[in-house]
């Protein structure tokens, strides 16, 4: 037989058990809320990751676009430099062609002037020799007339000589004088011919020397022109190298600025995401703690019900023990003592149940107090653990970002050093090339001048040898008639 006071509790417990069995597949509202929150958190996390990946892809596209633009700029710069070199090479070729034509015309003009000068001086010599011959003939005529007059006077004074003998002597004297004058005239003509031929030879030598001097002047002009053009070419090469250096440095700085800006944006996004994640974790923990605090009375009620159930179970045991003790006492005691015995046993049972109820009530109060303190301690510990975790994650993020920034700066320093080494090596090769070209130009200049002097020396030596063979002797100090002597 059951105690009437325990029947409602047992009925409620059976009813609750049956309800759980019938609705075991229905999810509670709290679980649904937690699943919704987890789904929303996953969606937010996936959205953050998707946005982060989109940002990284966009940054990569920006870097690739900038690199392509810089490459196109460098290609255009190199093409422009190549066009400048080609333009200067064409101008150099045109100027050298123009100089060669000018020198050819100048040489032809000088040859014509020399030929005209030779002809003029030859004509001047002929005119002068003609004057000398005329003067010489006039002198001979005067001398002849004087001799004849003197001869006649002598013959007139000599009256002893026959006339025929005088005529014969006069004829012989005339023939002697004429023969002597003819010999002198022939000697003068021969002398004039030699002078004329020697003058013509000397004129040719002087024309040859003038030609040599003009060739030397033209050679110097050509070599100086080539030297100036080579210096202009070297100046252009140095200027192009410096402009290339400036462009390479500007491009590297532009690329690094974009890298640092993208890293800043990436770090800012990472920091914002981390802060949002920290705030979300803190909100979740606050919601969890608020839910635990809201659910604490229910949990405490459930624990209290468990304690009460234990109390009820204990009461049942004691009731069974009381009934057994009562039956045993009634069996061994006289019937007249049953009423007093039942009263005594009832009072004892009531006293023990009261003591037991007080003990369970105290247990419930202690459980409630301890659960409240434990909940606060657990929640505080979770808050501190989350704070430490988030602080550690923030420190890890800051260390990662600092490392990334330092790696980017170190990469930039390596790229700058690599560029400077490349620039220095290219400049050294350029300076070596300039030195080699200048040395080659100087060697070419020396060889050309040497070959020109050797050729001119051979030509002059051949000319002087031929002049000596023809009997003209040395013509180096030959004096030509002046302009006023014509």
């Amino acid at each position: 037989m059951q105690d009437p006071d325990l029947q409602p509790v047992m009925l409620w417990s059976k009813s609750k058990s049956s309800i759980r069995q019938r609705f075991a597949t229905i999810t509670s509202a709290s679980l649904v809320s937690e699943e919704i929150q987890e789904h929303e958190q996953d969606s937010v996390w996936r959205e953050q990751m998707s946005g982060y990946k989109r940002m990284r892809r966009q940054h990569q596209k920006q870097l690739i676009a900038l690199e392509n633009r810089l490459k196109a700029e460098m290609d255009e710069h190199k093409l422009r430099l190549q066009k400048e070199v080609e333009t200067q090479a064409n101008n150099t070729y045109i100027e050298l062609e123009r100089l060669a034509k000018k020198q050819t015309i100048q040489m032809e003009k000088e040859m014509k002037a020399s030929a005209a000068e030779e002809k003029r001086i030859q004509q001047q010599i002929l005119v002068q020799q003609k004057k000398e011959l005329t003067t010489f003939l006039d002198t001979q005529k005067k001398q002849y007339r004087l001799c004849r007059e003197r001869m006649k006077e002598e013959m007139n004074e000599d009256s002893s000589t026959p006339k025929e003998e005088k005529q014969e002597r006069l004829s012989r004297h005339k023939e002697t004088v004429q023969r002597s004058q003819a010999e002198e005239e022939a000697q003068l003509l021969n002398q004039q011919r030699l002078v004329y031929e020697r003058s013509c030879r000397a004129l040719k030598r002087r024309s040859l020397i003038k030609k040599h001097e003009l060739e030397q002047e033209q050679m110097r002009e050509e070599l100086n022109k080539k030297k100036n053009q080579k210096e202009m070419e070297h100046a252009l090469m140095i200027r192009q190298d410096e402009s290339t250096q400036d462009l390479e440095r500007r491009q590297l700085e532009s690329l690094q600025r974009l890298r640092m800006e993208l890293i800043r944006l990436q770090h800012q996004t990472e920091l914002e995401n981390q802060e949002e994640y920290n705030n979300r974790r803190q909100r979740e923990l606050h919601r969890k703690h608020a839910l635990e605090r809201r659910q604490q009375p229910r949990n405490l009620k459930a624990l209290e019900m468990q304690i009460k159930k234990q109390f009820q179970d204990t009461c049942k045991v004691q009731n069974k023990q009381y009934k057994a003790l009562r039956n045993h006492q009634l069996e061994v005691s006289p019937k007249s003592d049953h009423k007093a015995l039942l009263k005594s046993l009832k009072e004892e049972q009531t006293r023990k149940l009261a003591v037991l109820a007080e003990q369970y009530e105290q247990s419930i109060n202690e459980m409630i107090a301890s659960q409240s303190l434990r909940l606060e301690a657990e929640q505080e510990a979770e808050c501190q653990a989350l704070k430490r975790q988030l602080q550690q994650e923030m420190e890890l993020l800051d260390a990662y970002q600092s490392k990334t920034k330092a790696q980017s700066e170190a990469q930039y320093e390596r790229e700058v050093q690599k560029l400077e080494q490349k620039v220095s090596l290219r400049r050294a090769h350029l300076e070596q090339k300039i030195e080699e070209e200048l040395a080659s130009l100087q060697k070419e200049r020396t060889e050309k001048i040497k070959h020109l002097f050797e050729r001119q020396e051979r030509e002059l030596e051949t000319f002087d040898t031929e002049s000596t063979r023809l009997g003209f002797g040395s013509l180096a100090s030959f004096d030509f008639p002046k302009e006023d002597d014509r």
Side-chain angles (χ1 to χ4, degrees):
M1 185 176 178
Q2 295 180 350
D3 190 348
D5 295 335
L6 298 176
Q7 288 182 358
V9 177
M10 295 176 66
L11 290 174
W12 180 83
S13 181
K14 290 180 181 179
S15 175
K16 186 175 181 181
S17 177
S18 63
I19 290 172
R20 284 202 196 98
Q21 291 175 359
R22 288 199 301 271
F23 298 98
T25 58
I26 298 178
T27 306
S28 63
S30 61
L31 293 177
V32 173
S33 177
E34 289 178 0
E35 290 178 356
I36 293 175
Q37 289 178 1
E38 290 178 357
H39 179 71
E40 290 177 352
Q41 292 170 6
D42 292 340
S43 299
V44 171
W45 182 81
R46 283 194 298 271
E47 180 63 26
Q48 283 184 351
M49 288 302 297
S50 177
Y52 184 75
K53 290 179 180 179
R54 283 197 305 271
M55 180 193 68
R56 292 298 302 272
R57 287 194 297 269
Q58 184 65 25
H59 290 179
Q60 192 67 23
K61 288 181 180 178
Q62 291 181 8
L63 283 173
I64 294 175
L66 179 60
E67 289 176 354
N68 293 333
R69 183 169 63 82
L70 296 180
K71 183 178 181 299
E73 183 182 5
M74 181 58 71
D75 293 339
E76 182 181 358
H77 174 73
K78 290 181 179 179
L79 183 61
R80 185 171 63 254
L81 298 185
Q82 183 179 358
K83 287 183 178 179
E84 288 180 357
V85 172
E86 292 176 353
T87 301
Q88 188 178 36
N90 292 333
N91 293 336
T92 299
Y93 175 78
I94 292 173
E95 289 178 1
L96 288 177
E97 286 290 323
R98 188 182 297 117
L99 178 62
K101 291 180 180 179
K102 187 191 81 170
Q103 290 181 348
T104 302
I105 295 173
Q106 184 181 10
M107 182 61 73
E108 293 176 355
K109 185 177 179 181
E110 183 65 26
M111 292 299 99
K112 290 181 180 179
S114 296
E117 181 70 10
E118 288 181 18
K119 187 176 181 181
R120 182 189 66 78
I121 294 178
Q122 289 172 2
Q123 190 68 27
Q124 180 181 351
I125 293 173
L126 291 175
V127 170
Q128 184 177 357
Q129 287 182 349
K130 185 178 180 180
K131 288 182 178 179
E132 291 177 355
L133 181 59
T134 302
T135 303
F136 178 76
L137 292 177
D138 291 341
T139 303
Q140 279 188 339
K141 289 179 180 180
K142 290 180 180 180
Q143 290 178 354
Y144 175 74
R145 284 197 298 270
L146 290 174
C147 289
R148 190 182 62 180
E149 292 295 331
R150 188 169 56 250
M151 190 71 179
K152 286 181 178 180
E153 290 177 356
E154 290 177 355
M155 292 177 69
N156 291 329
E157 291 177 357
D158 187 11
S159 57
S160 60
T161 305
K163 186 175 180 180
E164 291 81 6
E165 186 179 354
K166 290 181 180 180
Q167 289 293 331
E168 184 179 356
R169 287 174 57 190
L170 184 62
S171 297
R172 283 198 305 270
H173 180 71
K174 180 178 179 182
E175 289 176 0
T176 302
V177 171
Q178 287 179 349
R179 186 169 55 252
S180 174
Q181 288 182 346
E183 290 175 358
E184 290 178 355
E185 181 181 359
Q187 184 179 2
L188 177 62
L189 291 174
N190 185 42
Q191 183 180 357
Q192 286 182 343
R193 179 181 60 78
L194 291 176
V195 170
Y196 178 77
E197 290 177 356
R198 193 165 184 267
S199 298
C200 291
R201 191 70 179 175
L203 285 172
K204 291 184 180 298
R205 189 178 190 277
R206 189 175 71 170
S207 298
L208 180 61
I209 292 175
K210 286 184 177 180
K211 178 185 176 183
H212 288 174
E213 292 174 351
L214 181 60
E215 286 176 346
Q216 294 173 11
E217 181 182 354
Q218 290 181 347
M219 176 65 71
R220 285 193 296 269
E221 185 180 8
E222 178 186 356
L223 294 176
N224 291 335
K225 188 70 173 179
K226 288 184 177 180
K227 181 180 178 182
N228 293 334
Q229 289 176 343
K230 186 61 68 174
E231 291 175 351
M232 292 174 61
E233 179 183 349
H234 292 166
L236 177 63
M237 293 167 64
I238 293 175
R239 188 170 63 253
Q240 288 183 347
D241 181 68
E242 292 174 351
S243 64
T244 303
Q245 291 180 23
D246 295 339
L247 180 59
E248 288 173 340
R249 292 191 179 98
R250 287 199 308 272
Q251 287 187 348
L252 184 58
E253 291 174 357
S254 176
L255 186 61
Q256 181 63 13
R257 280 197 302 271
L258 179 60
R259 285 176 182 168
M260 297 305 295
E261 178 64 18
L262 296 182
I263 288 176
R264 187 189 66 79
L265 294 176
Q266 175 184 340
H267 289 177
Q268 182 179 355
T269 302
E270 291 172 349
L271 185 60
E272 291 174 354
N273 291 342
Q274 184 66 30
E275 291 176 350
E276 185 177 353
Y277 168 77
N278 294 347
N279 295 332
R280 187 170 68 248
R281 288 289 303 277
Q282 291 175 355
R283 288 195 303 269
E284 291 173 358
L285 185 61
H286 292 163
R287 283 198 299 267
K288 177 186 174 185
H289 289 173
L291 181 61
E292 289 176 350
R293 288 192 294 270
R294 286 196 302 270
Q295 290 179 347
Q296 186 182 18
R298 188 186 306 170
N299 296 333
L300 293 176
K301 189 68 176 176
L303 293 175
E304 185 179 354
M305 291 299 293
Q306 290 179 2
I307 295 174
K308 285 183 179 180
K309 187 176 183 300
Q310 293 176 2
F311 174 71
Q312 291 171 0
D313 294 339
T314 304
C315 289
K316 288 179 184 180
V317 172
Q318 286 188 358
N319 285 333
K320 289 180 181 180
Q321 291 176 354
Y322 167 73
K323 287 179 182 179
L325 179 62
R326 184 184 62 180
N327 292 333
H328 177 70
Q329 291 292 338
L330 290 176
E331 289 177 358
V332 299
S333 299
K335 192 173 183 180
S336 58
D337 295 335
H338 283 183
K339 186 175 181 180
L341 182 62
L342 289 173
K343 183 179 179 182
S344 175
L345 290 174
K346 187 67 175 177
E347 289 177 355
E348 183 66 21
Q349 182 186 12
T350 301
R351 186 185 63 79
K352 289 184 177 180
L353 287 175
V355 172
L356 184 62
E358 184 179 357
Q359 290 177 353
Y360 274 96
E361 186 68 26
Q362 184 179 359
S363 299
I364 290 172
N365 292 333
E366 291 176 355
M367 180 272 297
I368 291 173
S370 65
Q371 287 294 328
S372 298
L373 292 175
R374 187 177 67 181
L375 179 62
E376 292 178 359
E378 289 178 352
Q379 289 184 349
E380 181 64 23
E382 288 181 351
C383 287
Q384 294 299 326
L386 179 61
K387 184 178 180 181
R388 288 193 297 272
Q389 179 186 356
L390 296 180
Q391 180 65 26
Q392 184 179 6
E393 291 177 357
M394 187 64 77
E395 291 175 355
L396 290 174
L397 177 62
D398 183 65
Y400 167 75
Q401 290 182 347
S402 299
K403 181 180 178 181
T404 304
K405 186 176 180 181
Q407 288 177 347
S408 178
E409 292 175 351
Q411 179 184 359
Y412 174 65
E413 291 297 328
R414 288 193 300 271
E415 290 176 348
V416 168
Q417 292 178 0
K418 184 178 179 181
L419 176 60
E420 292 301 326
Q421 291 177 357
K422 175 184 175 182
V423 166
S424 299
L425 184 61
R426 188 176 62 207
R427 188 57 177 265
H429 288 167
L430 178 60
E431 292 176 353
Q432 182 180 1
K433 180 181 178 181
I434 291 175
E435 290 179 359
E436 291 176 353
E437 290 183 353
L438 289 177
S440 176
L441 184 63
Q442 182 63 32
K443 182 179 179 181
E444 178 187 0
R445 180 188 185 94
T446 304
E447 290 180 352
K448 282 191 173 183
I449 293 175
K450 178 182 177 182
H451 293 162
L452 177 64
F453 284 173
E454 289 177 352
R455 179 180 61 82
Q456 290 180 349
E457 185 178 358
R458 286 194 305 271
E459 290 179 356
L460 189 60
E461 184 178 357
T462 302
F463 186 88
D464 289 342
T465 302
E466 181 67 17
S467 299
T468 303
R469 188 185 64 81
L470 294 175
F472 295 112
S474 177
L475 301 175
S477 58
F478 185 83
D479 291 332
F480 296 96
K482 296 183 180 180
E483 191 77 16
D484 299 336
D485 297 338
R486 283 187 296 176

